[in-house]
Amino acid sequence: MPELPEVETTRRGLAPHLEGHTVRSARVRQRRLRWPVEKGFERRISGAKILRLERRAKYLLVHTDRGCAIWHLGMSGSLRLVGPECAAEKHDHIDWQLDSGPILRYRDPRRFGALLWTGGEPAEHELLAHLGPEPLSGDFHGDYLFSASRGRRQAVKALIMDGRIVVGVGNIYASEALFLAGIRPDKAAGSISRARYLRLADAIKEVLARAIEQGGTTLRDFIGGDGQPGYFAQQLNVYGRAGQPCPDCGRAIRDLILAQRNTFFCSRCQR
C-alpha cells in the first residue's frame, strides 16, 4: 500500500511536469472506485490550470484555478505520465490529457483509491478536517505525543498509527520507528515516559525522512508506460523479518498481530 513516503515521492516526481500546465481534457473509464468519481468531473477539470501539488497525509492535492482534486492511491493505485500513443489497459481508470503532451494516468487494480473534487478549502473537506499534524512538521514532537498519550490504554503502535493523532505513520514505518526508539509496539501508550516519547517522535521523523530520501532515486519511474508503481525498495530493520536476527543484538525478530495488523519487533532491544 502506498504510504506517506511513496505519496510524497509521487508528488515530487510529478510536480515539475504538472505545475503550470493545463488539463486539456479528461476521461474517466471507471467511476466505481472507493468513492464514485462524480458525474461531471471531466467538465470540472478540463481547461483547469494546475497551480501546485501538495500532500496531506496520504492524499495528493492537485490545486487548480477552479478548485482542488483530492487523490488517494488506495492499496494498489499509481499515477504516471505516459505518452498519448500509450494505449490504456484494463486497470487504467482515469486519464488527464495535459497541454504539454503527456497523459497523467491513474491505474488501480483493486479500485480502493479515490478521486474527489472540492471547490472550497481542501483542509475543510470531510476527509481532511479531522487529521492530526504532519509528522515531519514542527507541530509534531515528543511533548505533543506524550500529552496525547495520557490516560490511553491502547498499544503505542495503535496510537502513532491513528491519523487523528499524527498522519501518515503506516504499519511499516510504525514498526521501524518503534524499533529505533527501543519501545515494544504492544506497550500501553499511557505508560510510556515523556523521555521515551521524545525519542519516538525523533525516530518517526528519521524513518520517514530516510524513506523519502530513498524514494528520490526513483523519481524517473513516474515517467513511462509500464504501469508499475515507482515505489522504492525499503531498507528495513524489523518489518517483515520474523525469525531473522535483529540487526542490533542478533536475537530473532518476533511478530504478533496488533489491531489486525502484522507487527514486528525485537524482544531484547524493545521494552
Side-chain angles (χ1 to χ4, degrees):
M1 176 188 294
E3 301 284 0
L4 183 153
E6 289 85 353
V7 178
E8 177 63 19
T9 299
T10 299
R11 186 196 69 79
R12 295 184 183 188
L14 293 177
H17 303 276
L18 269 62
E19 291 177 348
H21 291 284
T22 298
V23 181
R24 182 177 297 165
S25 62
R27 182 176 181 183
V28 179
R29 300 182 185 85
Q30 175 59 268
R31 296 186 183 277
R32 292 180 296 172
L33 302 178
R34 183 175 182 181
W35 299 287
V37 180
E38 66 174 81
K39 292 183 179 180
F41 179 86
E42 298 92 326
R43 174 177 46 81
R44 289 183 183 275
I45 198 67
S46 295
K49 183 177 181 180
I50 298 172
L51 304 178
R52 71 184 187 280
L53 269 64
E54 181 185 9
R55 181 194 52 75
R56 178 68 171 115
K58 300 177 187 178
Y59 295 92
L60 185 66
L61 310 183
V62 184
H63 296 271
T64 78
D65 57 358
R66 295 183 180 178
C68 183
I70 302 174
W71 227 312
H72 194 287
L73 302 182
M75 298 184 70
S76 60
S78 62
L79 283 167
R80 303 177 64 82
L81 289 171
V82 300
E85 75 285 351
C86 186
E89 298 181 2
K90 178 180 179 180
H91 301 299
D92 294 336
H93 302 314
I94 299 171
D95 281 359
W96 290 6
Q97 174 66 64
L98 302 175
D99 62 350
S100 53
I103 293 170
L104 177 65
R105 176 161 290 165
Y106 178 62
R107 169 174 287 193
D108 190 353
R110 301 185 69 177
R111 289 193 288 157
F112 286 163
L115 176 60
L116 305 170
W117 178 266
T118 179
E121 173 55 49
E124 299 174 1
H125 190 277
E126 60 181 343
L127 291 177
L128 308 180
H130 67 283
L131 295 178
E134 290 285 333
L136 297 177
S137 72
D139 294 330
F140 178 72
H141 44 75
D143 285 328
Y144 164 79
L145 263 187
F146 176 71
S147 176
S149 70
R150 295 306 85 189
R152 292 179 180 262
R153 298 180 180 179
Q154 69 184 137
V156 63
K157 181 168 179 273
L159 177 78
I160 63 175
M161 288 183 63
D162 185 341
R164 296 166 297 183
I165 300 297
V166 57
V167 301
V169 184
N171 195 32
I172 295 173
Y173 302 109
S175 291
E176 291 294 303
L178 286 163
F179 174 76
L180 288 185
I183 300 173
R184 276 185 66 108
D186 55 351
K187 192 173 183 65
S191 69
I192 297 172
S193 70
R194 175 181 175 275
R196 302 191 81 191
Y197 272 118
L198 293 176
R199 291 199 297 272
L200 179 55
D202 287 344
I204 289 171
K205 290 176 182 286
E206 179 182 342
V207 165
L208 292 174
R210 185 190 306 156
I212 292 170
E213 183 179 357
Q214 287 177 296
T217 65
T218 66
L219 296 184
R220 64 184 182 278
D221 293 336
F222 293 96
I223 314 300
D226 62 10
Q228 298 302 310
Y231 311 139
F232 41 92
Q234 303 292 317
Q235 297 177 3
L236 304 175
N237 291 302
V238 291
Y239 186 86
R241 299 187 64 243
Q244 299 180 41
C246 169
D248 285 355
C249 74
R251 176 173 288 189
I253 299 297
R254 294 177 56 187
D255 65 321
L256 54 82
I257 302 295
L258 276 179
Q260 300 181 335
R261 306 297 296 274
N262 290 323
T263 300
F264 303 88
F265 68 102
C266 174
S267 60
R268 175 177 291 170
C269 296
Q270 295 173 253
R271 299 183 180 278

